[in-house]
Amino acid sequence: MTDQQEQQASVPPKGVRRPAPSPKWIATDLYTLSHLDPSTAHNSDILKSTLSNASNQDLPAIYSSRAFAKFLALQARATDAKHCLEVGTLGAYASIWLATENPNLKITTLEYNSHHVQVAKENISNADLGDRITVHEGPAMETLPTILSDIDAGKLPKFDMAYVDADKTNNWNYFDAAVKGCRKGAVVIVDNVVQGGLIASQDKPLDKPGHVEGAREVIENTGKDGRVSATVIQTVGEGSHDGFLFAVVL
Ligand SMILES: C[S@@+](CC[C@H](N)C(=O)[O-])C[C@H]1O[C@@H](n2cnc3c(N)ncnc32)[C@H](O)[C@@H]1O
């Protein structure tokens, strides 16, 4: 060890907060979305009312960003997905994005908070999507085994896509279950795995306990998992510096 390395090793890790989004990132989102997702888009009104109903009923504003939710929906479209799993429904914003961009897509989405389930169901009904989006209420670790059994029994089709966006400490468990329910060639996406770059830092986050550890666990285990090939894409935008893990089932 050099003198400099010894000095660094003896410095305790700093407690840090995630950086706030830069005004330039927000302005860039606004500029690109104004062209690529204008208010005249076919699903714009229903998505706006989904968010306002969620906000009026005090749901936290932790849904996927507009640009990222549209990316998910386009990903489903590019792969002609017919059945998608979502872990973490909230008010069904991402589910409604997926369904409104993909008329042949069914979504199985999991949520444990009964108030979130009630608001999600209202939003799904307002969007007239009750026949294609099914919300399963309960902790996802309890609802997933039944869903996987239904897939094994042929009662539900395998997933063509899965989106993991719930309690971050269970990222790996959800990823593992999602892969079990997916067909070969399916895509599994796990949100928020970069955590402002804290995954690659010794510094200790002062908020969101377990999120950095949950992100590292899913990245490290996925790297050793012969069932998939994966990468992480960092993102900036209205949601600050974060990123997602993107895996293809082999
Ligand atoms: C980030 S939000 C999901 C946002 C949603 N995917 C979207 O983009 O619109 C995370 C959701 O996961 C739910 N959640 C947290 N822990 C859970 C668990 N153990 N089982 C199921 N849902 C859970 C939370 O209640 C919250 O509604």
Side-chain angles (χ1 to χ4, degrees):
M1 211 187 249
T2 64
D3 286 353
Q4 197 191 2
Q5 281 169 330
E6 256 179 48
Q7 220 175 8
Q8 279 171 351
S10 66
V11 177
K14 272 192 305 176
V16 289
R17 292 200 183 279
R18 288 160 178 74
S22 141
K24 267 194 195 155
W25 306 344
I26 296 170
T28 303
D29 266 350
L30 287 174
Y31 164 73
T32 56
L33 286 164
S34 72
H35 290 280
L36 303 175
D37 183 39
S39 57
T40 50
H42 67 100
N43 50 0
S44 182
D45 288 348
I46 196 65
L47 287 161
K48 276 185 197 148
S49 73
T50 295
L51 290 184
S52 66
N53 187 37
S55 163
N56 292 341
Q57 300 203 51
D58 295 326
L59 261 58
I62 53 171
Y63 40 80
S64 306
S65 71
R66 181 148 66 109
F68 187 58
K70 184 163 185 185
F71 167 78
L72 294 172
L74 293 177
Q75 179 61 37
R77 195 162 182 161
T79 55
D80 197 21
K82 300 283 189 298
H83 189 203
C84 176
L85 170 72
E86 179 186 41
V87 187
T89 315
L90 192 64
Y93 179 67
S95 286
I96 292 174
W97 252 114
L98 281 158
T100 49
E101 283 288 331
N102 296 279
N104 297 320
L105 179 66
K106 291 199 168 161
I107 297 137
T108 295
T109 181
L110 317 181
E111 175 59 58
Y112 82 145
N113 180 306
S114 55
H115 180 52
H116 296 184
V117 170
Q118 173 234 310
V119 176
K121 286 185 173 171
E122 268 174 38
N123 284 335
I124 292 164
S125 165
N126 292 341
D128 206 12
L129 290 168
D131 56 336
R132 293 200 288 122
I133 305 177
T134 307
V135 186
H136 291 259
E137 182 170 350
M141 289 307 289
E142 290 175 20
T143 49
L144 272 166
T146 313
I147 289 160
L148 293 183
S149 305
D150 284 351
I151 290 175
D152 284 346
K155 291 185 204 160
L156 268 182
K158 285 196 166 195
F159 300 118
D160 305 297
M161 181 172 166
Y163 177 42
V164 175
D165 186 26
D167 47 323
K168 307 303 172 187
T169 48
N170 267 315
N171 273 340
W172 167 248
N173 293 328
Y174 298 149
F175 181 90
D176 179 50
V179 172
K180 287 180 180 142
C182 277
R183 67 161 169 84
K184 282 192 196 319
V187 165
V188 182
I189 293 173
V190 184
D191 202 9
N192 308 124
V193 298
V194 169
Q195 298 285 321
L198 288 168
I199 52 164
S201 156
Q202 301 266 356
D203 294 337
K204 292 233 172 293
L206 291 171
D207 55 2
K208 303 186 181 173
H211 284 213
V212 169
E213 291 79 0
R216 285 184 185 139
E217 185 182 33
V218 71
I219 291 167
E220 291 170 22
N221 288 351
T222 301
K224 294 179 228 144
D225 189 338
R227 298 173 299 172
V228 295
S229 181
T231 188
V232 165
I233 302 294
Q234 298 187 61
T235 55
V236 293
E238 60 188 47
S240 191
H241 174 209
D242 212 321
F244 60 94
L245 182 140
F246 184 98
V248 174
V249 179
L250 303 176

PDB file of all heavy atoms in Angstrom, residues 22 63 67 95 98 109 115 185 187-188 194 206 212 223 225 230 242:
ATOM      1  N   SER A  22     -29.721  18.497 -11.940  1.00  0.00           N
ATOM      2  CA  SER A  22     -29.247  19.771 -12.480  1.00  0.00           C
ATOM      3  C   SER A  22     -30.365  20.400 -13.314  1.00  0.00           C
ATOM      4  O   SER A  22     -31.100  19.701 -14.007  1.00  0.00           O
ATOM      5  CB  SER A  22     -28.023  19.496 -13.353  1.00  0.00           C
ATOM      6  OG  SER A  22     -28.039  20.295 -14.489  1.00  0.00           O
ATOM      7  N   TYR A  63     -43.216   7.691  -9.032  1.00  0.00           N
ATOM      8  CA  TYR A  63     -43.436   6.921 -10.259  1.00  0.00           C
ATOM      9  C   TYR A  63     -42.249   7.113 -11.202  1.00  0.00           C
ATOM     10  O   TYR A  63     -41.454   8.046 -11.068  1.00  0.00           O
ATOM     11  CB  TYR A  63     -44.755   7.366 -10.927  1.00  0.00           C
ATOM     12  CG  TYR A  63     -44.969   8.858 -10.872  1.00  0.00           C
ATOM     13  CD1 TYR A  63     -44.339   9.697 -11.772  1.00  0.00           C
ATOM     14  CD2 TYR A  63     -45.754   9.420  -9.853  1.00  0.00           C
ATOM     15  CE1 TYR A  63     -44.493  11.068 -11.695  1.00  0.00           C
ATOM     16  CE2 TYR A  63     -45.913  10.791  -9.781  1.00  0.00           C
ATOM     17  CZ  TYR A  63     -45.283  11.609 -10.701  1.00  0.00           C
ATOM     18  OH  TYR A  63     -45.421  12.960 -10.617  1.00  0.00           O
ATOM     19  N   ALA A  67     -40.151  10.143 -19.459  1.00  0.00           N
ATOM     20  CA  ALA A  67     -39.282   9.647 -20.534  1.00  0.00           C
ATOM     21  C   ALA A  67     -38.970   8.167 -20.327  1.00  0.00           C
ATOM     22  O   ALA A  67     -38.942   7.378 -21.280  1.00  0.00           O
ATOM     23  CB  ALA A  67     -37.994  10.462 -20.571  1.00  0.00           C
ATOM     24  N   SER A  95     -47.759   1.142 -15.743  1.00  0.00           N
ATOM     25  CA  SER A  95     -48.644   0.127 -16.359  1.00  0.00           C
ATOM     26  C   SER A  95     -49.510   0.752 -17.445  1.00  0.00           C
ATOM     27  O   SER A  95     -49.703   0.160 -18.513  1.00  0.00           O
ATOM     28  CB  SER A  95     -49.584  -0.479 -15.316  1.00  0.00           C
ATOM     29  OG  SER A  95     -48.915  -1.351 -14.485  1.00  0.00           O
ATOM     30  N   LEU A  98     -47.480   1.438 -20.482  1.00  0.00           N
ATOM     31  CA  LEU A  98     -47.225   0.192 -21.229  1.00  0.00           C
ATOM     32  C   LEU A  98     -48.472  -0.213 -22.025  1.00  0.00           C
ATOM     33  O   LEU A  98     -48.377  -0.556 -23.206  1.00  0.00           O
ATOM     34  CB  LEU A  98     -46.854  -0.930 -20.241  1.00  0.00           C
ATOM     35  CG  LEU A  98     -45.413  -0.913 -19.733  1.00  0.00           C
ATOM     36  CD1 LEU A  98     -45.288  -1.675 -18.419  1.00  0.00           C
ATOM     37  CD2 LEU A  98     -44.457  -1.505 -20.784  1.00  0.00           C
ATOM     38  N   THR A 109     -49.346  -6.738 -12.434  1.00  0.00           N
ATOM     39  CA  THR A 109     -48.580  -5.798 -11.616  1.00  0.00           C
ATOM     40  C   THR A 109     -48.847  -6.027 -10.126  1.00  0.00           C
ATOM     41  O   THR A 109     -49.963  -6.364  -9.745  1.00  0.00           O
ATOM     42  CB  THR A 109     -48.828  -4.332 -12.073  1.00  0.00           C
ATOM     43  OG1 THR A 109     -48.043  -3.449 -11.270  1.00  0.00           O
ATOM     44  CG2 THR A 109     -50.288  -3.919 -12.004  1.00  0.00           C
ATOM     45  N   HIS A 115     -53.868   1.261  -0.155  1.00  0.00           N
ATOM     46  CA  HIS A 115     -54.303   2.559  -0.696  1.00  0.00           C
ATOM     47  C   HIS A 115     -53.776   2.729  -2.129  1.00  0.00           C
ATOM     48  O   HIS A 115     -54.510   3.175  -3.027  1.00  0.00           O
ATOM     49  CB  HIS A 115     -53.825   3.690   0.213  1.00  0.00           C
ATOM     50  CG  HIS A 115     -54.233   5.049  -0.275  1.00  0.00           C
ATOM     51  ND1 HIS A 115     -55.537   5.378  -0.591  1.00  0.00           N
ATOM     52  CD2 HIS A 115     -53.497   6.172  -0.541  1.00  0.00           C
ATOM     53  CE1 HIS A 115     -55.597   6.630  -1.009  1.00  0.00           C
ATOM     54  NE2 HIS A 115     -54.373   7.127  -1.000  1.00  0.00           N
ATOM     55  N   GLY A 185     -35.269 -14.784 -24.332  1.00  0.00           N
ATOM     56  CA  GLY A 185     -35.330 -13.561 -25.143  1.00  0.00           C
ATOM     57  C   GLY A 185     -36.085 -12.434 -24.456  1.00  0.00           C
ATOM     58  O   GLY A 185     -36.097 -11.310 -24.952  1.00  0.00           O
ATOM     59  N   VAL A 187     -36.973  -9.521 -21.694  1.00  0.00           N
ATOM     60  CA  VAL A 187     -36.158  -8.451 -21.124  1.00  0.00           C
ATOM     61  C   VAL A 187     -36.575  -8.226 -19.670  1.00  0.00           C
ATOM     62  O   VAL A 187     -37.765  -8.159 -19.381  1.00  0.00           O
ATOM     63  CB  VAL A 187     -36.399  -7.166 -21.942  1.00  0.00           C
ATOM     64  CG1 VAL A 187     -35.887  -5.941 -21.222  1.00  0.00           C
ATOM     65  CG2 VAL A 187     -35.753  -7.282 -23.311  1.00  0.00           C
ATOM     66  N   VAL A 188     -35.589  -8.133 -18.778  1.00  0.00           N
ATOM     67  CA  VAL A 188     -35.891  -7.798 -17.377  1.00  0.00           C
ATOM     68  C   VAL A 188     -35.174  -6.492 -17.056  1.00  0.00           C
ATOM     69  O   VAL A 188     -33.950  -6.387 -17.248  1.00  0.00           O
ATOM     70  CB  VAL A 188     -35.426  -8.907 -16.406  1.00  0.00           C
ATOM     71  CG1 VAL A 188     -35.786  -8.550 -14.965  1.00  0.00           C
ATOM     72  CG2 VAL A 188     -36.045 -10.252 -16.788  1.00  0.00           C
ATOM     73  N   VAL A 194     -28.371   2.758  -9.816  1.00  0.00           N
ATOM     74  CA  VAL A 194     -27.131   3.561  -9.803  1.00  0.00           C
ATOM     75  C   VAL A 194     -27.065   4.450  -8.561  1.00  0.00           C
ATOM     76  O   VAL A 194     -25.993   4.672  -7.996  1.00  0.00           O
ATOM     77  CB  VAL A 194     -27.003   4.364 -11.127  1.00  0.00           C
ATOM     78  CG1 VAL A 194     -25.886   5.401 -11.044  1.00  0.00           C
ATOM     79  CG2 VAL A 194     -26.737   3.396 -12.284  1.00  0.00           C
ATOM     80  N   LEU A 206     -27.162   9.095   3.398  1.00  0.00           N
ATOM     81  CA  LEU A 206     -27.860   9.506   4.623  1.00  0.00           C
ATOM     82  C   LEU A 206     -29.366   9.253   4.533  1.00  0.00           C
ATOM     83  O   LEU A 206     -30.102   9.523   5.472  1.00  0.00           O
ATOM     84  CB  LEU A 206     -27.604  10.995   4.881  1.00  0.00           C
ATOM     85  CG  LEU A 206     -26.167  11.332   5.274  1.00  0.00           C
ATOM     86  CD1 LEU A 206     -25.973  12.845   5.281  1.00  0.00           C
ATOM     87  CD2 LEU A 206     -25.820  10.739   6.624  1.00  0.00           C
ATOM     88  N   VAL A 212     -28.762   1.281  -1.742  1.00  0.00           N
ATOM     89  CA  VAL A 212     -27.464   1.058  -2.398  1.00  0.00           C
ATOM     90  C   VAL A 212     -27.105  -0.425  -2.322  1.00  0.00           C
ATOM     91  O   VAL A 212     -26.689  -1.045  -3.319  1.00  0.00           O
ATOM     92  CB  VAL A 212     -26.380   1.942  -1.743  1.00  0.00           C
ATOM     93  CG1 VAL A 212     -24.994   1.553  -2.212  1.00  0.00           C
ATOM     94  CG2 VAL A 212     -26.651   3.413  -2.057  1.00  0.00           C
ATOM     95  N   GLY A 223     -24.405 -10.499 -12.541  1.00  0.00           N
ATOM     96  CA  GLY A 223     -23.133 -10.719 -13.235  1.00  0.00           C
ATOM     97  C   GLY A 223     -22.676 -12.167 -13.180  1.00  0.00           C
ATOM     98  O   GLY A 223     -21.918 -12.622 -14.048  1.00  0.00           O
ATOM     99  N   ASP A 225     -24.911 -14.711 -13.064  1.00  0.00           N
ATOM    100  CA  ASP A 225     -26.092 -15.509 -13.396  1.00  0.00           C
ATOM    101  C   ASP A 225     -26.044 -15.927 -14.867  1.00  0.00           C
ATOM    102  O   ASP A 225     -26.198 -15.083 -15.760  1.00  0.00           O
ATOM    103  CB  ASP A 225     -27.352 -14.654 -13.115  1.00  0.00           C
ATOM    104  CG  ASP A 225     -28.627 -15.447 -13.222  1.00  0.00           C
ATOM    105  OD1 ASP A 225     -28.631 -16.501 -13.881  1.00  0.00           O
ATOM    106  OD2 ASP A 225     -29.639 -15.007 -12.640  1.00  0.00           O
ATOM    107  N   ALA A 230     -26.479  -9.033 -19.266  1.00  0.00           N
ATOM    108  CA  ALA A 230     -27.034  -7.771 -18.746  1.00  0.00           C
ATOM    109  C   ALA A 230     -26.042  -6.616 -18.835  1.00  0.00           C
ATOM    110  O   ALA A 230     -24.831  -6.818 -18.937  1.00  0.00           O
ATOM    111  CB  ALA A 230     -27.450  -7.969 -17.290  1.00  0.00           C
ATOM    112  N   ASP A 242     -29.386   8.415 -11.868  1.00  0.00           N
ATOM    113  CA  ASP A 242     -29.672   7.035 -11.469  1.00  0.00           C
ATOM    114  C   ASP A 242     -29.396   6.137 -12.663  1.00  0.00           C
ATOM    115  O   ASP A 242     -28.527   6.465 -13.489  1.00  0.00           O
ATOM    116  CB  ASP A 242     -31.121   6.918 -10.946  1.00  0.00           C
ATOM    117  CG  ASP A 242     -31.230   5.858  -9.853  1.00  0.00           C
ATOM    118  OD1 ASP A 242     -30.566   4.811 -10.007  1.00  0.00           O
ATOM    119  OD2 ASP A 242     -31.951   6.057  -8.882  1.00  0.00           O
TER     120      ASP A 242
END
